[in-house]
């Protein structure tokens, strides 16, 4: 005999950073596991310390951290968590990023700009990540920035089914807030059997978050319009698009987005908007000042948990979305 055989079983361990512990607990509950106890704190100068209180040797480890504000702190914490698992002899490390930071910087618009989305992927890989699991990337090509498997999950079934239950589908029109979201809006149309409209806009390249809406392409008069987007940050784009729809005779407007970033003036814009309902997932924590009656938050935890289970059991993540 020239070796030793083992009959050990695979072990799943689930870890969470401090950015969005509520989502981590929901995912863990869906999986039927506990979040591994972790000691994490900031030193006086802002440096982050992490230590796991259970052995991760030989385990398939899943590390969840949503890149919410302060975004740079939570990205750094996740990198440190990955490095700790690599040095603790984890069998595999899957990074769960419900909201992928810097995703909007996925290409160079002008000279001397960075491609920060690629940088984030490179840092994950260097830290020791074997796989990334994320939800509704800003653009699909970001999957190619990571040198390894990327499981791209979609919130469309969750959001579209919620809207479909609330609205008379005979009066429903799906609206893309810009040309970049048309493909996603098309999927909504297929799922809900609704027509498509597009809001044409022009963004000021020299002023961040400055949008001018020009015209609406499609029939929206007397219709209930559902604006679909991947994220809402300051709310300027989506509120201007909603105003354009009302100006063209829309009966009502509902806004759906996977990621409610909701920074800066978003709170005031959402409160003062004529939109009847904003629907988000819990991929990011909702700021306390935005706990309004017209904001609905649906949990993406069951979708993430199902994907984690498929990865751990060597199943098919794609099969979760085959009906799309």
């Amino acid at each position: 005999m020239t070796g030793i055989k083992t009959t050990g079983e695979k072990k799943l361990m689930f870890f969470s950073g401090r950015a969005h512990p509520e989502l981590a607990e929901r995912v863990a509950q869906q999986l039927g596991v506990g979040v591994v106890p972790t000691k994490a704190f900031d030193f006086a100068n802002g440096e982050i310390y992490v230590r796991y209180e259970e052995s991760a040797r030989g385990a398939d480890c899943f590390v969840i951290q949503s890149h919410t504000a302060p975004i740079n702190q939570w990205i750094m914490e996740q990198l440190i968590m990955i490095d700790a698992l690599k040095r603790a002899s984890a069998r595999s490390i899957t990074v769960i990023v419900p909201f992928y930071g810097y995703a909007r910087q996925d290409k160079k618009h002008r000279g001397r700009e960075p491609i920060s989305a690629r940088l984030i992927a490179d840092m994950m890989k260097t830290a020791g990540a074997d796989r990334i699991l994320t939800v509704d990337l800003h653009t699909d090509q970001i999957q190619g920035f990571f040198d390894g498997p990327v499981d791209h999950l979609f919130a469309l079934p969750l959001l579209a089914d919620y809207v479909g239950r609330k609205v008379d589908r005979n009066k429903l029109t799906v609206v893309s807030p810009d040309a970049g979201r048309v493909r996603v809006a098309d999927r909504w149309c297929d799922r809900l059997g609704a027509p498509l409209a597009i809001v044409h806009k022009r963004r000021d390249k020299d002023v961040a978050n400055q949008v001018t809406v020009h015209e609406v392409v499609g029939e929206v008069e007397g219709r209930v319009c559902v604006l679909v987007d991947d994220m809402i940050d300051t709310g300027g784009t989506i509120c201007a698009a909603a105003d354009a729809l009302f100006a063209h005779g829309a009966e009502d407007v509902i806004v759906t987005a996977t990621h409610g970033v909701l920074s800066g003036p978003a709170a005031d814009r959402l409160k003062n908007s004529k939109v009847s309902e904003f629907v988000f997932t819990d991929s990011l924590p909702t700021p306390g000042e935005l706990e309004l009656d017209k904001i609905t938050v649906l949990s993406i935890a069951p979708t993430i948990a199902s994907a984690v289970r498929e990865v751990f059991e060597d199943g098919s993540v794609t099969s979760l979305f085959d009906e799309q």
Side-chain angles (χ1 to χ4, degrees), residues 128-260:
D130 299 300
R131 187 183 205 104
I132 291 179
L133 192 155
T134 188
V135 183
D136 281 338
L137 287 167
H138 188 60
T139 51
D140 290 342
Q141 69 259 27
I142 294 173
Q143 297 174 74
F145 293 170
F146 183 76
D147 187 17
V150 176
D151 296 305
H152 190 197
L153 310 184
F154 304 100
L156 188 155
L158 176 68
L159 296 170
D161 291 351
Y162 171 82
V163 171
R165 290 191 298 268
K166 287 199 67 173
V167 179
D168 180 359
R169 298 195 185 190
N170 293 322
K171 298 182 65 177
L172 187 65
T173 294
V174 176
V175 184
S176 172
D178 55 46
R181 293 289 111 192
V182 170
R183 187 177 176 187
V184 173
D186 264 335
R187 295 184 192 138
W188 274 72
C189 293
D190 291 341
R191 193 174 186 96
L192 296 176
L196 173 67
I198 303 168
V199 176
H200 175 66
K201 71 175 186 180
R202 185 177 298 274
R203 187 182 293 274
D204 189 332
K205 65 182 180 180
D206 294 316
V207 182
N209 304 312
Q210 186 71 41
V211 172
T212 302
V213 174
H214 286 273
E215 61 183 31
V216 175
V217 181
E219 183 57 48
V220 300
E221 187 173 357
R223 310 281 293 179
V224 177
C225 296
V226 181
L227 271 164
V228 299
D229 212 343
D230 65 318
M231 72 173 77
I232 295 177
D233 189 355
T234 62
T237 299
I238 212 74
C239 289
D243 289 342
L245 293 173
F246 281 118
H248 282 75
E251 179 183 307
D252 191 15
V253 176
I254 297 171
V255 170
T256 72
T258 304
H259 311 296

Side-chain angles (χ1 to χ4, degrees), residues 7-19:
T7 57
E9 296 181 350
K10 291 174 66 177
K11 180 181 181 182
L12 184 155
M13 298 185 75
F14 189 71
F15 303 82
S16 171
R18 295 175 291 167

Side-chain angles (χ1 to χ4, degrees), residues 52-89:
Y52 304 117
E53 298 184 353
E54 293 181 9
S55 172
R57 184 180 298 275
D60 291 310
C61 300
F62 295 81
V63 185
I64 188 169
Q65 181 88 301
S66 207
H67 298 166
T68 186
I71 188 169
N72 297 323
Q73 177 181 358
W74 301 134
I75 290 173
M76 190 65 199
E77 180 176 272
Q78 191 169 34
L79 294 171
I80 291 171
M81 294 177 73
I82 296 166
D83 185 74
L85 286 172
K86 177 178 68 175
R87 298 177 192 282
S89 302

